[in-house]
Amino acid sequence: MPSRFNLQNQNGASVDDPNPHWRKGPEVEHVEWKNNPQPDLAEENLVQAEDEDKITPYLVFLIAVAALGGFLFGYDTGVVGSALPLVGTDLGKVLSSSEQEIITAGTTVGAILGAAILGPLADKIGRKWSLFVADMFFTLGAVLIASSYSLAQIIVGRLVLGVGVGAAALIAPLYITELAPTAVRGRCIGVNAFFIPFGQVVSSAVGAGVQNTKHGWRILFALGVVPSIIQLSLMHFLPESPRVLILRGQEDKAAEVFAQIYKEATPEILDLKLSVARSYVAATTSMQKELTLWERSKRLWTHKPYRRAIITVSGLQVFSQLTGFNTLLYYSGTLFGLLGFSNPAAAGLIPSGINALMVFIGMSIVDRVGRRRLVLVFAPVMMAGLVWAAVAAWYMTESTDHLLITGHDYSHTIAGLLIGGIVLFVIGYGMSYSFLGWYQSEFLALEIRASGSGISTVATWVSNLVVSVSYLSELENITPTGTFCLYLGFSVIGYIFVYFCYPESKGISVDEVAKLFVNDFGVRKSEEIRAMQLERSRRVHDDTTAVPTPHAGNSIKGEEAVKHQEVGGIV
């Protein structure tokens, strides 16, 4: 469907028709592969509709349904801690510590498989149906686990469930990233990120309520079916990502999705948005036609902008796990027991609840404060909490040769101080790493968005598995204080990584963010782009007589001023 606005760049190349500089020898390259001072594609963040920065009921519905995948992710990863102590002899024997670890790790192993499989498939079957596949695995896994009467069955159930967890962790933020308007994208992705700890809170709350219920662990696992069935039943009302529809040649349907999301947009602006999306999708289809699967896979690591983007999103995800948050949740349960809590599941509500609250606050302000700034400000809070906890653990375990001995009567005062350090850590973690790692999709160019998100999610689960299986050994071999110090060391390295390799994506369109990585990791370039946008915005407000033209260098919104920029504007 040709655009009513056949935008052209300064060289005369049509935006609708990718310019010939995409080609270099036998390979088809994305426009950003060329170090070209004149970008070839229109910038979506400068094509804004009336009231685009407002959340509409339809957008709320889309994001809420998609974010149920995040809730399932949180619930099914958090429920095991409350459920396993209730199993007793229901599987024919009392589970040993190693058997419980295998059951717990089953979901992580399945998540690695789910992310690795659904990443490449997300472009072929679409984002919407990838969520459908994840729900099928969630449902089947929950049924297998809840009906288990053998160790083998519950392990298989956890593996199947894990595939759904890995797929949801990958697809839900990817889908939301491609649907949400630039102005509110951070809050929209943040909803999915918030639903993860919210699911953990719900699992702890339900776990606390069934502690004295016969077969309570079966109830806990079976309840995981409810949100997956809800999402499955609402799947019919979800649209496919406009970019996927364009990939399939269904531009009329893509235009309909844009019209539903941007209720106040004029036909001209909808046409412009479709043109922008089409121009980026054209690069993807060119790559798929000209390069084999092996060549495209190799390009992820040999092409520097792709490699930098993947390193950025994977690095943030890996360090979010190496800080030890998940293991600290297990550790805090033990400490709360030392303080006299008779219900470990109820005690677990404290750190999980604080994390959920902090994520909610963080996602609410992320579009105003920015992703990078949140990490730089709150990661030091997290590190201060680890220092505090390490010192408190040293003094608390002084009488037991600095080892944590079950049943020993530790000082409740010092144990309380240790929990205070953990709470401070959770506050810093919840405002930064806990949810920002799931913004991975907005840093990746469309042609590598699904596969790059898959790589990042796999890296998350591999690092999660490494930290989880080594936790008990760390407590025994390097003491609780040493364990906190180890996590502190990883946190410091992660902070250095963020400072040099994690650019700000606030206010930059999802398709333009990928251009940050052309020459380096784009930290300085992102600030330059945002400064230029602010300056241009000031000029726009001073110019109230702007008239919409096919290649205007100013901005017009609605009938008066719809932001648009000449295609050759921002480098």
Side-chain angles (χ1 to χ4, degrees):
M1 183 176 76
S3 172
R4 282 185 284 258
F5 287 83
N6 187 23
L7 301 178
Q8 294 183 340
N9 64 19
Q10 294 180 0
N11 297 324
S14 170
V15 170
D16 296 339
D17 182 19
N19 85 29
H21 290 296
W22 284 12
R23 298 180 178 272
K24 180 180 179 183
E27 298 179 333
V28 177
E29 300 186 333
H30 191 284
V31 289
E32 66 204 36
W33 296 4
K34 295 290 290 181
N35 188 14
N36 187 347
Q38 300 295 339
D40 304 288
L41 303 178
E43 296 167 13
E44 187 180 7
N45 57 304
L46 297 178
V47 183
Q48 294 188 4
E50 186 75 24
D51 290 333
E52 184 171 323
D53 58 345
K54 294 183 179 179
I55 303 292
T56 65
Y58 180 72
L59 187 61
V60 169
F61 170 76
L62 294 185
I63 303 306
V65 175
L68 282 174
F71 179 87
L72 283 162
F73 171 12
Y75 183 89
D76 288 317
T77 54
V79 72
V80 67
S82 301
L84 284 184
L86 304 179
V87 173
T89 60
D90 287 356
L91 298 180
K93 62 174 182 177
V94 176
L95 296 176
S96 66
S97 297
S98 61
E99 288 170 338
Q100 292 187 42
E101 288 174 350
I102 292 172
I103 293 172
T104 303
T107 297
T108 303
V109 174
I112 294 172
L113 296 175
I117 295 171
L118 265 295
L121 285 179
D123 282 334
K124 292 185 178 297
I125 67 175
R127 311 331 187 201
K128 173 181 175 178
W129 293 110
S130 294
L131 282 175
F132 179 87
V133 172
D135 281 329
M136 296 301 294
F137 278 100
F138 274 125
T139 303
L140 178 59
V143 171
L144 284 172
I145 297 169
S147 61
S148 292
Y149 283 93
S150 69
L151 178 63
Q153 183 178 342
I154 196 171
I155 291 174
V156 170
R158 291 289 290 177
L159 284 169
V160 172
L161 186 72
V163 174
V165 170
L170 163 65
I171 301 301
L174 172 61
Y175 179 70
I176 294 172
T177 297
E178 294 185 343
L179 282 178
T182 299
V184 294
R185 189 178 67 235
R187 277 172 281 173
C188 291
I189 302 174
V191 172
N192 180 74
F194 166 73
F195 269 36
I196 297 173
F198 179 62
Q200 293 170 344
V201 170
V202 171
S203 68
S204 296
V206 176
V210 299
Q211 288 293 302
N212 299 316
T213 303
K214 185 177 181 180
H215 300 305
W217 68 275
R218 296 187 189 276
I219 297 173
L220 280 171
F221 284 118
L223 286 176
V225 173
V226 176
S228 66
I229 290 179
I230 292 174
Q231 190 175 52
L232 280 171
S233 64
L234 296 175
M235 195 67 66
H236 171 73
F237 302 100
L238 293 183
E240 184 53 88
S241 164
R243 290 164 177 82
V244 172
L245 292 172
I246 294 172
L247 273 172
R248 296 172 177 172
Q250 299 174 328
E251 293 194 5
D252 288 340
K253 291 185 178 180
E256 291 175 4
V257 175
F258 277 129
Q260 288 178 304
I261 294 174
Y262 303 100
K263 292 288 188 182
E264 303 299 324
T266 64
E268 290 77 15
I269 290 306
L270 292 175
D271 212 15
L272 286 169
K273 287 184 176 292
L274 183 64
S275 180
V276 171
R278 185 194 303 118
S279 60
Y280 277 92
V281 169
T284 305
T285 56
S286 296
M287 282 187 62
Q288 291 175 340
K289 291 177 182 177
E290 300 291 334
L291 300 180
T292 66
L293 177 61
W294 169 248
E295 288 172 331
R296 294 199 301 271
S297 300
K298 187 170 64 173
R299 177 66 68 179
L300 294 175
W301 303 107
T302 59
H303 181 51
K304 292 181 179 179
Y306 292 167
R307 185 172 69 231
R308 293 184 188 115
I310 291 173
I311 289 173
T312 293
V313 296
S314 299
L316 195 71
Q317 285 280 43
V318 167
F319 283 114
S320 73
Q321 300 301 314
L322 295 182
T323 57
F325 172 74
N326 290 322
T327 56
L328 287 178
L329 285 179
Y330 301 139
Y331 196 23
S332 64
T334 302
L335 294 175
F336 282 123
L338 295 174
L339 289 175
F341 282 81
S342 59
N343 192 326
L349 282 170
I350 296 176
S352 62
I354 292 173
N355 181 45
L357 176 62
M358 292 301 106
V359 170
F360 180 80
I361 295 173
M363 58 156 278
S364 300
I365 65 175
V366 67
D367 283 319
R368 295 194 298 273
V369 178
R371 288 71 157 153
R372 173 180 167 85
R373 185 176 297 176
L374 280 175
V375 180
L376 293 180
V377 170
F378 285 98
V381 175
M382 183 180 71
M383 290 185 278
L386 287 172
V387 172
W388 179 345
V391 173
W394 174 268
Y395 286 105
M396 189 187 79
T397 59
E398 196 169 17
S399 61
T400 55
D401 199 23
H402 300 292
L403 295 174
L404 188 64
I405 306 298
T406 302
H408 185 81
D409 187 18
Y410 292 103
S411 167
H412 287 193
T413 300
I414 300 180
L417 290 173
L418 177 50
I419 291 172
I422 291 176
V423 168
L424 182 62
F425 166 84
V426 173
I427 290 173
Y429 182 84
M431 290 290 291
S432 55
Y433 285 109
S434 184
F435 71 104
L436 290 176
W438 301 110
Y439 284 61
Q440 56 195 10
S441 298
E442 68 178 9
F443 288 90
L444 300 166
L446 175 62
E447 61 270 27
I448 67 164
R449 192 166 294 154
S451 55
S453 295
I455 292 171
S456 175
T457 306
V458 168
T460 301
W461 290 111
V462 169
S463 54
N464 176 278
L465 181 63
V466 170
V467 171
S468 297
V469 299
S470 62
Y471 173 63
L472 294 178
S473 298
E474 290 167 359
L475 290 180
E476 294 177 0
N477 296 318
I478 62 174
T479 73
T481 297
T483 302
F484 283 120
C485 289
L486 177 65
Y487 297 153
L488 175 63
F490 283 128
S491 299
V492 171
I493 296 172
Y495 191 82
I496 295 172
F497 173 84
V498 168
Y499 186 84
F500 289 104
C501 301
Y502 187 69
E504 180 58 72
S505 60
K506 170 190 172 185
I508 305 177
S509 80
V510 66
D511 289 316
E512 284 294 311
V513 170
K515 289 186 178 182
L516 297 176
F517 300 97
V518 172
N519 298 316
D520 51 30
F521 283 94
V523 173
R524 181 175 297 178
K525 186 175 182 179
S526 67
E527 296 302 323
E528 292 174 354
I529 289 177
R530 294 176 62 247
M532 293 174 68
Q533 290 175 352
L534 288 174
E535 179 60 29
R536 185 176 295 105
S537 179
R538 294 190 189 99
R539 292 201 304 267
V540 169
H541 285 294
D542 293 337
D543 183 8
T544 59
T545 61
V547 178
T549 62
H551 54 280
N554 53 12
S555 300
I556 311 124
K557 187 169 184 180
E559 295 298 328
E560 301 177 356
V562 177
K563 287 187 180 178
H564 176 61
Q565 185 215 359
E566 187 175 17
V567 176
I570 290 180
V571 179

